[in-house]
Amino acid sequence: QVQLVESGGDLVQSGGSLRLSCAASGNIFRIHSMSWYRQPPGKQRELVANINSLGPTYADSVQGRFTISRGESENIVYLQMNSLKPDDTGIYFCKAAIRTTAQVLGDYWGQGTQVTVSS
């Protein structure tokens, strides 16, 4: 069994910064990629950033403002969010593609953390 736990969500003023963290634990053989998604109020979940062995990629809406990185423990991923805008408001979810054995690969999600940016 694998668990992902996010933290760091908060209420922040426009132009401010936050850093989200996501820690994976459990029966982990290998982590292939880790991603951050967000779900704005009343909208569908969208990909914000992804990081794998080839490096990071970002949605156009956050390029240049957000940075995704892995921790010293590769079971941790961060999302540094700068120059926040009200449109960045939403529930932020961590997702990881994880092998629990050499043969079994699956996607796992965290429970989400709320980010609210006030104007």
Side-chain angles (χ1 to χ4, degrees):
Q1 191 173 1
V2 174
Q3 298 84 37
L4 298 181
V5 178
E6 303 103 331
S7 61
D10 205 344
L11 170 64
V12 63
Q13 288 189 335
S14 182
S17 298
L18 282 176
R19 189 174 84 155
L20 305 182
S21 302
C22 171
S25 62
N27 185 26
I28 297 172
F29 177 74
R30 181 181 176 186
I31 298 178
H32 281 264
S33 66
M34 300 187 84
S35 309
W36 286 97
Y37 285 72
R38 67 185 178 193
Q39 187 163 14
K43 297 184 179 180
Q44 291 188 338
R45 196 173 297 188
E46 60 186 11
L47 177 63
V48 174
N50 179 75
I51 187 165
N52 57 26
S53 59
L54 299 178
T57 56
Y58 300 93
D60 289 344
S61 59
V62 306
Q63 182 77 45
R65 299 187 298 122
F66 290 11
T67 302
I68 187 171
S69 62
R70 300 285 289 272
E72 286 189 7
S73 165
E74 291 201 346
N75 289 8
I76 296 177
V77 65
Y78 300 105
L79 186 68
Q80 178 67 43
M81 305 186 294
N82 298 329
S83 302
L84 283 162
K85 307 173 182 179
D87 283 350
D88 295 318
T89 293
I91 303 173
Y92 282 69
F93 297 90
C94 175
K95 190 190 89 169
I98 295 174
R99 286 194 182 277
T100 51
T101 70
Q103 292 79 29
V104 179
L105 175 65
D107 287 339
Y108 297 86
W109 291 84
Q111 82 289 349
T113 186
Q114 177 70 46
V115 172
T116 303
V117 184
S118 63
S119 57

